Amino acid sequence: MRILVMGGAGFIGSNIVDQLLLENHEVGIVDNLLTGKKENINSKAIFFDMDLNSPMLERVFETFSPEVVLHLAAQVNVAKSIRDPLLDQEINIRGTVSVLEKCKKYNVRKIIYSSSAAVYGIPKNEIIDEDHPTDPISFYGISKLVPEYYIRTYSKLYGLQYSILRYSNVFGPRQDHMGEAGVISIFANQIINNKEITIFGNGEQTRDFIYVQDVVNANISAIHSEVDGIYNISTNCSITLNDLVRKMDIQSGKSTEIRYEDERMGDIQHSCLDNRAAIKALGWKPVYSIEYGLKETINYHAESSITEKNQTKG
Ligand SMILES: NC(=O)c1ccc[n+]([C@@H]2O[C@H](COP(=O)([O-])OP(=O)(O)OC[C@H]3O[C@@H](n4cnc5c(N)ncnc54)[C@H](O)[C@@H]3O)[C@@H](O)[C@H]2O)c1
């Protein structure tokens, strides 16, 4: 199958691209390398170095002629969305409409959209299913939710098939450890470099962390699914940040110092997504244990850290 991956140089997108190529699909990548990295790009894919809103995107659809589009390209930083809501909407909302217009014009069969738990806002129940109200508390959350409506409307008007996948906290190799990135990659980098880590609050807040390969598999299942739908992609289990650090210590053989700082405004205390709809409709289920994922992630950061140090020396 010919599959175009928007954001295929990023953390999740590049892991998906590698799997699609292993399964012998023809893969194109559109990415402007805003946060994506050249070294993530699989050389067997065709790479279009391009912005979602570029007028040249039309040529990509015309020449590559994808049957399915996986749309992961986005401005993903919540703090940046608060500082610069216009950029956020330009990439996440306008960029998605730009992609959808080409899907319509070039008869793409299906779009698979990477959405986020951020669309729910503050949880009203212990476990959030897809019927939970959507009430985002950041511009990022809004800019991930609005495209869901566009996709569903393109589907109603033009018959574009879709799967909307709302991820919980994804972690794994290639996730950036700089700035506001995922907490596990930040912790992994600090643990490897024997630094103390900082937790905002008392560390008893919980998160539902899902390993990137499980997210890759959810996207692959969605490609083959015949039904349109919105699904949480998560583990259905949550863990406190204190327990997370203990598990990371076991996997790395270290004993990490934790500094506790004041809770940050707007941080959600508990977050856990119900994944039963995806299990039922997509025939998918998460299979990687958090221990396995942490080990892989720590190994990745250990190797990257050695490479970075060698480059600095050289
Ligand atoms: N990482 C998570 O925990 C998580 C959780 C929920 C949802 N998501 C969603 O998953 C998707 C992928 O996230 P990620 O963590 O891999 O982030 P990432 O930043 O690594 O990937 C995003 C990719 O999009 C590209 N991009 C950004 N703006 C672009 C533009 N205008 N034109 C072309 N390419 C552009 C970037 O260069 C990057 O390669 C995003 O849509 C994000 O909202 C991620």
Side-chain angles (χ1 to χ4, degrees):
M1 206 183 285
R2 259 192 317 283
I3 301 174
L4 191 59
V5 184
M6 325 302 290
F11 157 48
I12 304 173
S14 64
N15 279 290
I16 296 176
V17 167
D18 289 352
Q19 185 64 33
L20 291 173
L21 288 162
L22 279 177
E23 297 183 11
N24 292 320
H25 294 289
E26 248 180 273
V27 181
I29 293 173
V30 172
D31 202 299
N32 68 352
L33 302 179
L34 180 71
T35 50
K37 298 193 181 83
K38 273 214 170 105
E39 59 266 29
N40 290 346
I41 298 172
N42 192 310
S43 59
K44 295 195 185 99
I46 305 173
F47 175 49
F48 303 96
D49 185 349
M50 193 176 291
D51 193 284
L52 294 178
N53 289 310
S54 161
M56 294 302 289
L57 188 64
E58 175 126 15
R59 274 292 286 158
V60 174
F61 276 74
E62 195 180 19
T63 52
F64 187 74
S65 189
E67 180 179 342
V68 172
V69 168
L70 304 190
H71 179 29
L72 297 104
Q75 190 300 108
V76 300
N77 186 317
V78 175
K80 206 167 169 181
S81 84
I82 306 287
R83 284 197 301 274
D84 194 352
L86 276 175
L87 176 75
D88 202 62
Q89 72 85 32
E90 175 74 12
I91 299 175
N92 297 2
I93 301 177
R94 185 163 177 254
T96 303
V97 179
S98 163
V99 171
L100 287 166
E101 273 295 283
K102 278 76 184 180
C103 289
K104 177 186 101 185
K105 188 162 174 191
Y106 294 98
N107 298 316
V108 170
R109 178 176 63 80
K110 179 162 194 174
I111 185 163
I112 295 159
Y113 172 64
S114 288
S115 186
S116 166
V119 302
Y120 293 117
I122 295 169
K124 295 193 172 20
N125 320 319
E126 220 167 275
I127 297 190
I128 302 174
D129 69 15
E130 292 81 355
D131 293 329
H132 185 284
T134 48
D135 191 9
I137 56 166
S138 66
F139 298 126
Y140 169 73
I142 298 172
S143 74
K144 293 304 292 183
L145 180 59
V146 171
E148 293 192 4
Y149 287 97
Y150 273 99
I151 290 167
R152 290 160 63 187
T153 306
Y154 270 80
S155 175
K156 281 184 206 132
L157 294 177
Y158 310 115
L160 177 66
Q161 296 174 28
Y162 70 88
S163 295
I164 293 170
L165 308 179
R166 292 176 176 163
Y167 309 148
S168 59
N169 292 73
V170 188
F171 75 102
R174 297 191 189 151
Q175 188 167 33
D176 200 3
H177 63 268
M178 306 297 281
E180 309 266 340
V183 70
I184 292 183
S185 61
I186 296 175
F187 286 0
N189 190 263
Q190 285 163 329
I191 289 172
I192 290 299
N193 290 299
N194 300 312
K195 291 187 184 153
E196 74 172 6
I197 62 170
T198 304
I199 290 183
F200 297 95
N202 63 7
E204 288 305 297
Q205 61 269 53
T206 57
R207 292 290 177 271
D208 174 347
F209 292 106
I210 184 158
Y211 187 54
V212 67
Q213 198 58 39
D214 278 325
V215 174
V216 169
N217 291 343
N219 276 268
I220 306 271
S221 299
I223 291 173
H224 301 293
S225 158
E226 293 292 325
V227 278
D228 296 336
I230 301 182
Y231 309 107
N232 289 336
I233 300 300
S234 63
T235 61
N236 231 1
C237 304
S238 53
I239 176 175
T240 68
L241 294 190
N242 288 328
D243 282 343
L244 174 72
V245 177
R246 277 180 218 120
K247 283 187 190 295
M248 293 182 81
D249 273 351
I250 292 170
Q251 296 304 323
S252 60
K254 305 243 177 169
S255 176
T256 305
E257 295 279 320
I258 306 176
R259 191 177 68 222
Y260 293 95
E261 287 198 357
D262 287 348
E263 235 170 75
R264 289 179 302 191
M265 257 184 30
D267 271 356
I268 289 171
Q269 266 303 306
H270 301 290
S271 178
C272 186
L273 299 188
D274 186 335
N275 62 10
R276 285 174 298 178
I279 290 175
K280 199 164 165 213
L282 299 179
W284 160 90
K285 65 172 195 289
V287 293
Y288 294 92
S289 67
I290 188 150
E291 287 79 9
Y292 174 85
L294 290 176
K295 182 102 196 146
E296 292 293 301
T297 308
I298 289 166
N299 288 345
Y300 170 80
H301 283 279
E303 280 164 29
S304 311
S305 175
I306 293 169
T307 315
E308 274 167 31
K309 279 177 191 146
N310 286 343
Q311 278 167 352
T312 320
K313 271 188 215 152

